Amino acid sequence: MTEKDIKECQKSLDFVLGWFAKPIFIDGDYPESMRSNLSSLLPEFSEVEKQHIKGTADFFALSFGATLSFQLLDSHMKFQQLESISLRQLLYWISSEYNNPQIFIVENSWFVSGSTKRDDAKYIYYLKKFIMETLKAIRYDGVNVFGYTVWSLLDGFEWHRGYSIRRGLFYVDFQSHDKKLMPKSSVLFYQKLIEKNGFPPLPENQPIEGVLPCGFAWGIVDNYIQY
């Protein structure tokens, strides 16, 4: 968390989101980090054009997930960046950077192995994680998120990763002639989540604190020597 690293992180986000978000949500012009790095390549806007661009979006449409082209980049071009599931942090950054706009998450998920069948517990974990991050951003950070959309309804062709990964709520049998569709476990999870409109304070959802009874046995096991 050095000053240099923070500036580099800001620059990275400016080049991904800021090149369109700052003109639309702030002042009609590109971020300063882009101006200083690409001054000869970026067009200049008149004051009339800036005012015309500013405020032309009804809401901030956010797509968040695994960058499927990320691994194609030369390793020296990654600048130590990593794929991250920290949706809450990004939502907070957008809110702080662009005057707390209305945010609609129009596409969100992660991926699981293409060998995954209908029991996709790992996908459910990602889905629950992202929606809980969204809820925390709304409840604790004051971020103005008004909608959430899962990507995607069906398994499909995922760019250069082809059929080696899956991101759908419905399993597609790509080997069958009619491409048979079957609901996964994540469908039921998402259905119940929508019915309850989130995570209501049910007893099974409550955290528990305390100590175990006196005389409770603790142990550790190994494949070769057991105690």
Side-chain angles (χ1 to χ4, degrees):
M1 294 297 289
T2 64
E3 183 177 352
K4 179 182 178 182
D5 288 338
I6 292 173
K7 287 183 178 180
E8 289 299 312
C9 185
Q10 176 74 26
K11 184 193 299 184
S12 175
L13 288 166
D14 283 342
F15 273 70
V16 174
L17 296 179
W19 69 274
F20 67 89
K22 184 173 177 287
I24 293 174
F25 292 97
I26 301 297
D27 58 7
D29 201 0
Y30 292 113
E32 291 302 318
S33 62
M34 296 190 73
R35 283 289 181 201
S36 61
N37 282 270
L38 304 171
S39 57
S40 62
L41 300 177
L42 296 178
E44 295 288 340
F45 299 127
S46 67
E47 289 303 318
V48 174
E49 288 173 326
K50 290 179 182 179
Q51 291 302 315
H52 179 72
I53 295 170
K54 180 181 177 181
T56 51
D58 295 321
F59 54 86
F60 195 113
L62 175 64
S63 174
F64 182 85
T67 308
L68 297 183
S69 60
F70 197 81
Q71 66 187 46
L72 289 181
L73 295 178
D74 185 288
S75 59
H76 295 94
M77 296 176 64
K78 291 185 178 181
F79 302 108
Q80 299 180 1
Q81 294 175 334
L82 301 172
E83 291 179 323
S84 170
I85 59 175
S86 300
L87 176 58
R88 180 184 175 187
Q89 290 182 336
L90 181 60
L91 289 171
Y92 182 78
W93 185 85
I94 292 172
S95 176
S96 301
E97 192 79 3
Y98 304 118
N99 295 328
N100 195 23
Q102 285 190 306
I103 301 174
F104 183 16
I105 302 174
V106 296
E107 177 183 324
N108 177 230
S109 76
W110 212 253
F111 62 89
V112 294
S113 170
S115 62
T116 303
K117 303 296 183 182
R118 296 176 62 188
D119 184 11
D120 57 344
K122 189 174 182 180
Y123 190 88
I124 292 176
Y125 164 78
Y126 285 128
L127 199 57
K128 183 177 180 181
K129 170 74 173 178
F130 286 133
I131 296 172
M132 290 183 74
E133 292 271 283
T134 302
L135 179 59
K136 289 177 182 178
I138 296 170
R139 294 287 301 273
Y140 301 140
D141 305 330
V143 181
N144 192 2
V145 185
F146 71 91
Y148 179 89
T149 306
V150 173
W151 178 273
S152 62
L153 179 65
L154 312 174
D155 291 330
F157 183 81
E158 297 291 348
W159 300 99
H160 78 278
R161 291 180 178 174
Y163 301 107
S164 65
I165 63 172
R166 293 181 182 270
R167 301 178 77 185
L169 295 172
F170 278 78
Y171 176 82
V172 179
D173 184 357
F174 296 115
Q175 303 302 319
S176 64
H177 177 72
D178 57 352
K179 303 298 183 288
K180 186 177 180 181
L181 301 178
M182 292 175 283
K184 300 180 186 178
S185 302
S186 53
V187 170
L188 180 61
F189 170 78
Y190 195 54
Q191 179 187 25
K192 294 296 183 182
L193 195 69
I194 293 172
E195 287 178 1
K196 298 177 183 298
N197 198 31
F199 306 95
L202 302 173
E204 59 268 27
N205 292 339
Q206 299 305 300
I208 184 169
E209 296 180 357
V211 295
L212 293 164
C214 293
F216 186 85
W218 298 94
I220 188 169
V221 68
D222 184 86
N223 287 333
Y224 302 102
I225 304 174
Q226 295 185 357
Y227 289 98

